[in-house]
């Protein structure tokens, strides 16, 4: 599976119509120490760009946007119990939720690792 990225600093890994979503290294660096995550409800449906959750740190709170339209099929309960996973392993154990895609074509609008790195470099 290949990670893809959004301008809002979320990453997506999709396979078989299910996508795993989390925040990027850049996002967690900007936030600082994450102390709380508000994850979406399983079974809830979101449109692309809807606010699906909130991540709070000692410095700020930030919305987590839906990178793709679909239904939440799982949330990361380990992250809810230990929000610091968003800092220590944002691209792995710190994932936020899984979504059943309603429009897999939306994946074509996401960025590659290279284009995301260019976006971050530009500030």
């Amino acid at each position: 599976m290949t990670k893809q990225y959004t301008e809002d600093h979320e990453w997506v890994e999709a396979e078989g119509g299910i996508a795993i979503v989390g925040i990027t290294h850049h996002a967690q660096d900007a936030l600082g120490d994450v102390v709380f995550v508000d994850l979406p409800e399983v079974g809830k449906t979101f449109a692309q760009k809807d606010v699906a959750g909130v991540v709070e740190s000692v410095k700020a709170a930030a919305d987590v946007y839906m990178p793709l339209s679909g239904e939440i099929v799982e949330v990361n309960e380990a992250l809810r119990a230990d929000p610091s996973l968003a800092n220590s392993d944002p691209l792995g154990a710190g994932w936020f939720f899984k979504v059943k895609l309603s429009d897999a074509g939306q994946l074509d609008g996401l960025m590659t690792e290279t284009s995301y790195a260019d976006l971050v470099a530009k500030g």
Side-chain angles (χ1 to χ4, degrees), residues 12-76:
V12 175
E13 243 179 25
E15 184 175 32
I18 303 290
I20 303 169
V21 177
I23 63 170
T24 64
H25 276 290
H26 177 79
Q28 68 84 26
D29 279 344
L31 283 166
D33 293 336
V34 174
V35 295
F36 176 76
V37 291
D38 180 22
L39 299 172
E41 185 179 320
V42 171
K44 189 164 183 185
T45 300
F46 292 91
Q48 188 176 36
K49 300 281 186 187
D50 281 354
V51 174
V54 176
V55 58
E56 295 181 13
S57 72
V58 293
K59 293 197 297 191
D63 291 332
V64 177
Y65 296 96
M66 260 324 257
L68 306 159
S69 299
E71 177 187 346
I72 302 297
V73 293
E74 186 179 345
V75 296
N76 187 351

Side-chain angles (χ1 to χ4, degrees), residues 42-122:
V42 171
K44 189 164 183 185
T45 300
F46 292 91
Q48 188 176 36
K49 300 281 186 187
D50 281 354
V51 174
V54 176
V55 58
E56 295 181 13
S57 72
V58 293
K59 293 197 297 191
D63 291 332
V64 177
Y65 296 96
M66 260 324 257
L68 306 159
S69 299
E71 177 187 346
I72 302 297
V73 293
E74 186 179 345
V75 296
N76 187 351
E77 293 297 343
L79 181 64
R80 194 186 316 260
D82 182 7
S84 71
L85 288 172
N87 295 117
S88 62
D89 193 8
L91 303 180
W95 63 275
F96 279 57
F97 52 83
K98 295 182 183 180
V99 59
K100 182 179 180 183
L101 304 179
S102 59
D103 181 0
Q106 291 176 337
L107 287 164
D108 296 337
L110 300 179
M111 291 185 272
T112 64
E113 186 172 352
T114 302
S115 57
Y116 179 71
D118 290 346
L119 173 81
V120 170
K122 290 176 187 168

